[in-house]
Amino acid sequence: MIKRFQQLAQLCVDKGIRKVVICPGSRNAALTIAFTAHSELECFSVSDERSAAYFALGLAQESGQIVALTCTSGTAALNFGPAVAEAYFLQIPLLILTADRPAEWINQYDGQTIFQENVYGKHVKKFAQWLPDLSEESNAFAARISNELINLAQIAPCGPVHMNIPIREPFYPDELEPEFSFWRNVKLEQASSRISHNRKEQFVEILRNAPKRILLIGQQFDPDLAQLARRFAQKFGFVLLGDSISNVDSLIRTQDILFKNLPEEEAAFVPDFLLSMGMSIISKPLKLFLRNAQIETHWHIQNGNDLIDPFLSISDQIVSDPKAFFEALLLLEYPYAETKYVSLWQAAEEKWKTHLLEKLSAPHYSHIHFLYRFVQQIPADAVLHLGNSMTVRYVNLLSAFLPNETKIYCNRGTSGIDGSLSTAVGQALATDRTVYCILGDLSFQYDKNAMWNNHLPANLKIIVLNNAGGIIFGMIDGPRKQAAYTDYFKTTQNQTAEFAAHSAGLKYTKITDFAQIETEIRNFQQAADSALLEVFTDSEKDIKEYKELFKLNY
């Protein structure tokens, strides 16, 4: 069996895989031996399977390359599940290799056995399973489906694929093992998507009759796409909208406040033409504005064939690589003059940015005020990995004050609070930039096993926003009125990150009042190795200060 896995390891290298995350186990021993012995593969040992899968996701997300992930049989495979779902909806390529018992031992009271076929359901692009025998026919089958799955993971839209591998004993090299035919690397060329002449003519015709145009970019990580989007918006007179996780230089960055406080002339902001691409949008006020706008013409550009319509307005689904779409249309000659529509948005943005500056400059102590001061001091080329719930909303509100070069990530595929820190660890290992992982105390406690490995890099900096529980439910009236609010919605807890930080060998500091902010941020930034900064606040004050930002002074 080991010789077959040696061929799999070589095939992975031939197809661009350079990093493998290995969860130690017995049933996957042959996989471990083959991968660790290959000189062109960098292997990471991570014991906690749930954390390991997010770790792999972070590596793949930051590097832009497919990453392999392997574990033993049984519930180990189930623990990959949350990150597999996240990778599917974020379109991150992963090759998941789960070792398994042969079929005759499943549901026979044998150890470490569960039903592993299609265990991730629709959350992988494809599932396949090797045959357990060592015949030449089964070797050819393993070669074929391995080629197919690794290719498929890297075809846009990218995503995870799952290969389940039943393995009989012995698990370790056997001199009597037969030789097998060499595995070929079957290359795949994906057809390029071209923009038809007819579509280009339609675009020009719409521009003539639709002076109010919005280009909306959802979550994406490609700086080249962001640059093309900016050029496109400027050339054709589009208002460029996007959240912090869109990683584009948006015209509007105060959308959370702007769309909650639209003036009476709200109809003036409604576009005639909406062009959208990318994945999710954080801002609920922006979502509601677009859903209620009754937009007549809405083109959505995407790589995949699934019809995605979060704003209930799509008129044209254009299956194309977004960069190819921009590049093709940027070649068009089109006379552009500044429109009142763009000026309307610019004036609104300036108004609400000034409003935010006035509010945030006050010497108040809360998490949003701390983060305002923190984002102004981060290096321009930093990477932010944000926890879900309130953390990503805080930073989204502050995106107008972030350097344009800052790359922002968040696990918004499923928007769970699990796995943020593990993903950030993987990201930090795939870049020379400083990676700041900012997350709430519940998210940190949930995922502190992310530090239970030997791969914590010096460029990882962790900020824990501790207000003794989650406050997202405190922002809405329904949960706060319930008797179960404190224990079952807010989930009040008194744990800190100090012990976990020391156990992992991280430098630990904390902030408990406004006077410490400037000094401790500076010390944290200057730490030579990985460090953890915990910011303690009162949850009720956090809620009050956040809501205060949305109140007008006039």
Side-chain angles (χ1 to χ4, degrees), residues 153 305 538:
N305 294 314
D538 176 80

Side-chain angles (χ1 to χ4, degrees), residues 321-439:
D321 175 70
K323 287 196 290 189
F325 178 87
F326 282 139
E327 288 167 347
L329 293 188
L330 279 167
L331 296 175
L332 295 174
E333 292 296 329
Y334 182 79
Y336 166 64
E338 186 74 25
T339 68
K340 292 182 179 179
Y341 189 62
V342 172
S343 301
L344 176 73
W345 284 91
Q346 287 174 328
E349 171 72 358
E350 188 61 34
K351 171 184 175 181
W352 294 116
K353 186 175 179 180
T354 301
H355 165 83
L356 269 178
L357 275 169
E358 291 175 357
K359 294 276 190 178
L360 290 166
S361 296
H364 296 165
Y365 184 62
S366 67
H367 280 149
I368 189 68
H369 283 84
F370 160 78
L371 287 171
Y372 168 66
R373 286 157 178 82
F374 174 75
V375 300
Q376 292 178 299
Q377 298 185 44
I378 63 173
D381 64 347
V383 175
L384 292 186
H385 187 90
L386 307 175
N388 274 303
S389 201
M390 280 308 299
T391 302
V392 70
R393 289 172 172 82
Y394 283 149
V395 175
N396 203 49
L397 188 63
L398 299 172
S399 60
F401 310 107
L402 280 163
N404 288 336
E405 298 85 358
T406 307
K407 291 182 73 175
I408 301 179
Y409 294 89
C410 182
N411 289 346
R412 296 298 292 179
T414 59
S415 302
I417 69 166
D418 55 335
S420 297
L421 183 54
S422 295
T423 308
V425 173
Q427 282 184 316
L429 285 163
T431 181
D432 293 329
R433 294 181 172 193
T434 302
V435 174
Y436 295 94
C437 181
I438 309 175
L439 68 172

Side-chain angles (χ1 to χ4, degrees), residues 80 105 123 131 135 189 207 254 296 383 413:
F80 283 170
W105 291 112
H123 295 119
L131 302 172
S135 67
E189 183 175 345
L207 294 189
T254 59
E296 184 173 341
V383 175

Side-chain angles (χ1 to χ4, degrees), residues 367 394 466-471 474-475 480 485 490 492 537-545:
H367 280 149
Y394 283 149
N466 192 334
N467 47 27
I471 69 165
M475 296 291 178
R480 288 180 67 88
Y485 169 68
K490 181 184 175 184
T492 300
T537 59
D538 176 80
S539 61
E540 290 303 313
K541 190 168 184 180
D542 281 334
I543 293 169
K544 177 183 176 183
E545 294 291 348

Side-chain angles (χ1 to χ4, degrees), residues 172-190:
Y172 301 94
D174 184 352
E175 294 181 359
L176 299 178
E177 185 175 330
E179 294 290 338
F180 295 110
S181 298
F182 176 74
W183 286 17
R184 292 184 179 183
N185 173 18
V186 182
K187 301 177 181 66
L188 177 71
E189 183 175 345
Q190 189 174 6

